[in-house]
Amino acid sequence: MNINFYMPVRVYSGKNCLNDNYSQLLNMGRRCFIVTGRTSARLSGALDDVLEIFCKHGISYQIFNEIESNPLTSTCKKAGELARAFEADYILGIGGGSVLDATKAVALFCENPFWKHSDIYERAVPSFHKPVALIGTTAGTGSEVTGVSVLTNSETGIKKSISGLDCYADIAFCDYTYTLSALDDVRVSTALDAFCHAVEAFLSNADNETVNIFSLNAISLLVPYILNKNFNEHSEIDFEKIYIASIYAGYAINTAGTLFPHTVGYYLTESHNIPHGKACAVFMPTLLERAKKYCPEKLGTILSTLNCELDCLVSAVNSLCSVDVSYSKEEAEEISLRWINGVKNFDRSPGGFSYKDAEQALKSLIF
């Protein structure tokens, strides 16, 4: 039985976990560079809570609020340069998955002044980086606890992840109350992302006993929402359970990794502006069909945890992630060539997955 597991992030969770443990931020230094998007950090109340703590305890800070969805490497480099000029002791990210991923990159750029923006993909691992603290405002990506950062190359427009010991946060504050201000569509997409993480990790060829525990716990917590076709209008939502599920799923993918739905889904986000969670979930039916063929026992465990049949699960996922794409079969063939040399996410997928399989998955979305 394999229980290999590594998790260097100190996690604080629950309502008021920031205010109850703010001394951990004070211990990180007296000068903090804060990374956010345009609105979620303030709307959630998290930024105000941080600034109140900093003002009370005389912590100097500078705010960078330009992180976009699918953060660009050039934006992260710009923030890293500003953090360096500010002489920050550490970097604090407040926001959804894009902001948290970007914060990890900002910490790297801050300590590597001679890098071009694309050098982050070619760096020696681990590279020098500033300490990182994270506060999540959405429940889905699990970036709080993964050693991964997904960035969009500013030159090519292609999403690609970086990973390694230098991509972990030092501290993560996981207070579900900061997710309450998320828009309905964001809430659904991020919940789908967490569900994809849990299912993909469980079905991964790189799974183990520890991964399976976290994956199945995440799936069980998400059952009421994934199988509710009216999730968009669902009013009785246990936000704490969804956030904890996203962290469990983050623990799982940190060991087992994601599968082909994430890799192929990146294209839908890059070129069709489809939210990440939905862009991944749209390929979940294809993944489940492959699981039925190549690892039926694992699929049976998932369906038993959900207490539903495969058709019911596929229908539920489809109802939550319908997407509108506008490319031809010829374009799908061309797109798939980017994966012709293989991808580790493909190799970990049930039965393996090729660029030709990706081509068929893309074509299945054309109506």
Side-chain angles (χ1 to χ4, degrees):
M1 297 178 68
N2 177 358
I3 59 169
N4 293 349
F5 186 70
Y6 177 70
M7 180 44 55
V9 184
R10 183 180 294 275
V11 176
Y12 296 98
S13 69
K15 187 176 182 180
N16 296 319
C17 65
L18 173 62
N19 287 319
D20 290 343
N21 300 281
Y22 69 82
S23 62
Q24 297 297 322
L25 287 182
L26 304 185
N27 292 339
M28 294 182 77
R30 308 297 297 177
R31 299 179 68 80
C32 176
F33 189 81
I34 302 173
V35 177
T36 75
R38 295 293 185 183
T39 59
S40 69
R42 287 199 179 278
L43 290 177
S44 67
L47 181 59
D48 288 342
D49 286 349
V50 166
L51 298 187
E52 183 177 345
I53 291 168
F54 284 179
C55 291
K56 182 178 180 180
H57 295 276
I59 303 299
S60 299
Y61 63 87
Q62 181 174 327
I63 299 173
F64 180 87
N65 67 351
E66 299 177 25
I67 301 299
E68 56 274 282
S69 297
N70 310 303
L72 296 170
T73 51
S74 56
T75 303
C76 296
K77 176 174 169 56
K78 175 183 177 181
E81 292 170 345
L82 292 172
R84 190 183 320 117
F86 178 66
E87 298 182 344
D89 293 319
Y90 68 101
I91 315 296
L92 170 62
I94 308 174
S98 291
V99 170
L100 304 190
D101 281 0
T103 301
K104 300 172 185 181
V106 172
L108 282 161
F109 280 118
C110 180
E111 290 290 84
N112 294 277
F114 301 109
W115 282 2
K116 300 186 295 294
H117 72 86
S118 58
D119 288 341
I120 198 166
Y121 294 113
E122 308 299 331
R123 75 197 190 288
V125 178
S127 289
F128 292 115
H129 65 287
K130 283 291 182 186
V132 169
L134 301 176
I135 302 174
T137 62
T138 62
T141 69
S143 184
E144 296 92 332
V145 295
T146 65
V148 177
S149 170
V150 181
L151 308 171
T152 300
N153 188 313
S154 300
E155 291 180 356
T156 65
I158 293 177
K159 290 179 69 172
K160 183 180 178 182
S161 64
I162 62 171
S163 62
L165 296 176
D166 50 11
C167 288
Y168 284 104
D170 295 87
I171 301 173
F173 297 94
C174 305
D175 185 338
Y176 71 94
T177 65
Y178 292 144
T179 72
L180 303 182
S181 60
L183 298 175
D184 287 349
D185 192 56
V186 171
R187 171 169 48 80
V188 172
S189 183
T190 53
L192 284 169
D193 192 21
F195 184 70
C196 288
H197 288 166
V199 172
E200 289 176 42
F202 188 75
L203 296 178
S204 172
N205 296 333
D207 74 317
N208 62 32
E209 299 298 325
T210 309
V211 167
N212 294 344
I213 290 170
F214 285 123
S215 295
L216 293 177
N217 270 284
I219 290 169
S220 65
L221 289 173
L222 291 167
V223 167
Y225 311 107
I226 298 304
L227 296 184
N228 188 329
K229 295 183 180 181
N230 297 316
F231 184 23
N232 286 290
E233 296 82 32
H234 191 50
S235 59
E236 297 179 1
I237 299 171
D238 191 326
F239 289 92
E240 183 172 21
K241 285 185 177 179
I242 295 178
Y243 198 175
I244 294 301
S246 76
I247 298 302
Y248 282 164
Y251 286 144
I253 61 170
N254 191 56
T255 296
T258 55
L259 306 183
F260 71 82
H262 267 69
T263 301
V264 184
Y266 286 167
Y267 165 72
L268 298 183
T269 300
E270 296 162 6
S271 302
H272 296 272
N273 202 32
I274 295 170
H276 171 71
K278 292 186 177 183
C280 297
V282 76
F283 297 109
M284 183 59 59
T286 301
L287 175 61
L288 295 173
E289 285 297 327
R290 294 182 73 83
K292 183 179 179 180
K293 178 178 180 180
Y294 294 108
C295 51
E297 290 185 1
K298 283 187 175 183
L299 177 61
T301 301
I302 291 173
L303 296 177
S304 177
T305 301
L306 291 167
N307 191 28
C308 75
E309 299 296 327
L310 179 57
D311 289 348
C312 172
L313 176 55
V314 169
S315 176
V317 171
N318 284 339
S319 71
L320 291 173
C321 66
S322 58
V323 298
D324 182 20
V325 296
S326 55
Y327 53 79
S328 65
K329 291 182 179 181
E330 291 73 23
E331 288 171 314
E333 293 170 3
E334 182 178 351
I335 293 159
S336 68
L337 293 176
R338 70 163 69 175
W339 304 301
I340 194 171
N341 293 321
V343 183
K344 59 185 178 181
N345 298 45
F346 287 11
D347 295 338
R348 289 192 292 253
S349 299
F353 200 76
S354 69
Y355 79 98
K356 280 293 185 181
D357 293 321
E359 176 188 315
Q360 292 304 312
L362 287 168
K363 286 179 177 179
S364 72
L365 304 183
I366 303 172
F367 298 99

